[in-house]
């Protein structure tokens, strides 16, 4: 029997001969690996510290007990989770000089990555809806964005994100991996794994495009329409200070949306490319490391309430009113 026949999966079965994958990582030379380790460790600590500080400020500062900051606190939790799914494992591999990851661990990493990324999509949409209600319909804002609605939006976001992540993970288990096992990336993701499959990936790729329409395009359209109404409403504000404050809070959110969706489109709308490149790794770094690290800075840099709460939190003088 030929080697080719041994490599071909039998009809009607799911035979995955690959028990582990080799993640090629960001760099190959030992000198550069040391530099990457230090940079990633620094980025991880800064991200954890920054996002937990935002979360603590939202929880303990009465001024931040508002819907906008409730969603911001949830975003901080997502950022901590997103960077934790990828970076600690890569730091461990750099320390141990072992680049392998088991098949099951790879699937787990992919599931949690898509769970958190999907949640990000819906949470950013909820934040846009919050700004729309606050600026365009201020008289009914407190009733239409009460605590029950906030929790329902977050719960619905988690449900949709979980369904999406589970669907992709199950679909990936139907593919056969019986040949090359080198993943040209530093974490497990769909485009790179599709390239290693020795069975057809057409159905899985179609599923990814359909999910992208639901998880990315639809929320992006909703966000764009919401902010079109917001801009129109803000331009009607006579006070220059009022316009500045409105644009300040919306500008931070739009910056995060632009970075998040820009990197996401580059990653998942290029499935026709033959092989992964260093550009994919760069985009991956942006999605899993840079974005979570920048978000606390973006939201606090132009928001005096967050700045004040963080200062009071750091010096231990939280307002009692």
């Amino acid at each position: 029997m030929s080697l080719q026949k041994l490599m071909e999966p039998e009809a009607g079965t799911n035979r995955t001969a690959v028990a582990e994958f080799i993640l090629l990582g960001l760099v190959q030379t030992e000198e550069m690996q040391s530099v990457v380790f230090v940079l990633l460790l620094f980025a991880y600590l800064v991200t954890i510290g920054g996002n937990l500080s935002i979360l603590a400020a939202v929880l303990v500062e009465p001024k931040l007990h508002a819907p906008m900051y409730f969603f911001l606190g949830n975003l901080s939790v997502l950022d901590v989770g997103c960077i934790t799914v990828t970076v600690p494992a890569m730091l461990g591999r750099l320390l141990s000089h072992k680049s392998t990851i088991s098949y099951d661990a790879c699937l787990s990493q992919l599931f949690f990555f898509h769970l958190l990324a999907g949640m990000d999509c819906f949470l950013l949409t909820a934040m846009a809806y919050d700004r729309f209600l606050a600026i365009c319909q201020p008289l009914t804002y407190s009733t239409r964005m009460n605590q029950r609605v906030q929790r329902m939006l977050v719960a619905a976001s988690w449900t949709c994100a979980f369904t999406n992540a589970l669907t992709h993970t199950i679909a990936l288990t139907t593919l056969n991996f019986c040949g090359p096992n080198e993943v040209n990336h530093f974490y497990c993701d769909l485009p790179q794994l599709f390239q290693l499959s020795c069975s057809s990936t057409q159905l899985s790729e179609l599923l990814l495009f359909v999910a992208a329409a639901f998880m990315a395009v639809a929320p992006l359209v909703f966000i764009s329409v919401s902010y079109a109404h917001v801009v129109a409403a803000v331009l009607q504000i006579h006070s220059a200070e009022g316009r500045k404050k409105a644009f300040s809070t919306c500008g931070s959110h739009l910056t995060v949306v632009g970075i998040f969706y820009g990197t996401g489109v580059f990653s998942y709308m290029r499935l026709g490319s033959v092989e992964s490149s260093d550009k994919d790794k760069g985009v991956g770094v942006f999605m899993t490391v840079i974005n979570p690290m920048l978000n606390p800075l973006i939201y606090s840099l132009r928001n005096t309430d967050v700045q004040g709460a963080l200062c009071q939190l750091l010096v231990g003088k939280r307002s009692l009113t």
Side-chain angles (χ1 to χ4, degrees), residues 2 4 14 19 21 25 27 55 60-61 65 68 97 117 119 132 151 155 199 217 232 241 271 273 275 280 287 309 319:
S2 66
Q4 184 177 358
N14 176 27
F21 294 101
V27 292
L55 180 60
V60 303
E61 179 55 49
H65 290 172
M68 179 175 71
H97 300 286
M119 179 60 186
F132 166 75
R151 291 167 183 160
S199 57
V217 177
E241 186 65 27
L271 291 178
S273 59
E275 58 183 22
D280 295 306
M287 288 184 67
S319 174

Side-chain angles (χ1 to χ4, degrees), residues 167-216:
T167 301
H168 286 308
T169 306
I170 293 175
L172 194 66
T173 61
T174 66
L175 300 181
N176 300 305
F177 298 93
C178 49
N181 66 337
E182 289 188 346
V183 179
N184 190 19
H185 217 305
F186 62 94
Y187 63 92
C188 292
D189 203 4
L190 292 171
Q192 290 74 31
L193 293 175
F194 286 164
Q195 293 165 8
L196 299 181
S197 175
C198 55
S199 57
S200 174
T201 61
Q202 288 185 349
L203 183 60
S204 295
E205 291 186 13
L206 178 62
L207 182 64
L208 182 57
F209 275 114
V210 171
F214 176 68
M215 301 286 294

Side-chain angles (χ1 to χ4, degrees), residues 15-242:
R15 295 176 59 194
T16 298
V18 172
E20 62 183 17
F21 294 101
I22 299 173
L23 295 174
L24 298 183
L26 293 173
V27 292
Q28 303 299 320
T29 61
E30 287 193 17
E31 293 80 5
M32 287 303 299
Q33 285 179 353
S34 300
V35 174
V36 169
F37 178 87
V38 172
L39 291 176
L40 285 178
L41 180 60
F42 174 77
Y44 183 69
L45 294 176
V46 168
T47 302
I48 297 298
N51 281 288
L52 290 184
S53 296
I54 292 284
L55 180 60
V58 170
L59 290 174
V60 303
E61 179 55 49
K63 289 182 180 179
L64 301 187
H65 290 172
M68 179 175 71
Y69 300 114
F70 171 76
F71 293 126
L72 180 58
N74 279 271
L75 184 65
S76 294
V77 173
L78 289 180
D79 287 336
V80 170
C82 188
I83 196 170
T84 301
V85 165
T86 55
V87 170
M90 189 161 83
L91 291 175
R93 287 192 296 271
L94 288 172
L95 271 180
S96 63
H97 300 286
K98 183 181 178 182
S99 57
T100 58
I101 181 172
S102 70
Y103 176 82
D104 292 337
C106 187
L107 287 182
S108 297
Q109 187 179 60
L110 183 141
F111 170 79
F112 284 107
F113 175 75
H114 280 269
L115 172 66
L116 296 169
M119 179 60 186
D120 237 327
C121 290
F122 291 116
L123 188 62
L124 291 174
T125 307
M127 293 173 78
Y129 178 60
D130 171 72
R131 291 299 84 203
F132 166 75
L133 290 180
I135 295 174
C136 298
Q137 301 181 16
L139 296 180
T140 59
Y141 174 66
S142 59
T143 56
R144 298 181 68 176
M145 189 54 76
N146 55 46
Q147 286 190 352
R148 181 172 174 269
V149 173
Q150 296 168 40
R151 291 167 183 160
M152 286 177 60
L153 287 172
V154 171
S157 298
W158 277 114
T159 301
C160 293
F162 177 83
T163 303
N164 174 70
L166 187 62
T167 301
H168 286 308
T169 306
I170 293 175
L172 194 66
T173 61
T174 66
L175 300 181
N176 300 305
F177 298 93
C178 49
N181 66 337
E182 289 188 346
V183 179
N184 190 19
H185 217 305
F186 62 94
Y187 63 92
C188 292
D189 203 4
L190 292 171
Q192 290 74 31
L193 293 175
F194 286 164
Q195 293 165 8
L196 299 181
S197 175
C198 55
S199 57
S200 174
T201 61
Q202 288 185 349
L203 183 60
S204 295
E205 291 186 13
L206 178 62
L207 182 64
L208 182 57
F209 275 114
V210 171
F214 176 68
M215 301 286 294
V217 177
L220 189 57
V221 169
F222 187 90
I223 291 171
S224 301
V225 171
S226 296
Y227 273 106
H229 285 86
V230 167
V231 170
V234 170
L235 291 177
Q236 294 178 2
I237 298 176
H238 299 294
S239 167
E241 186 65 27

Side-chain angles (χ1 to χ4, degrees), residues 289-303:
V289 181
I290 305 298
N291 283 4
M293 184 172 63
L294 287 180
N295 284 351
L297 181 63
I298 292 172
Y299 278 107
S300 62
L301 197 61
R302 302 176 65 182
N303 191 309

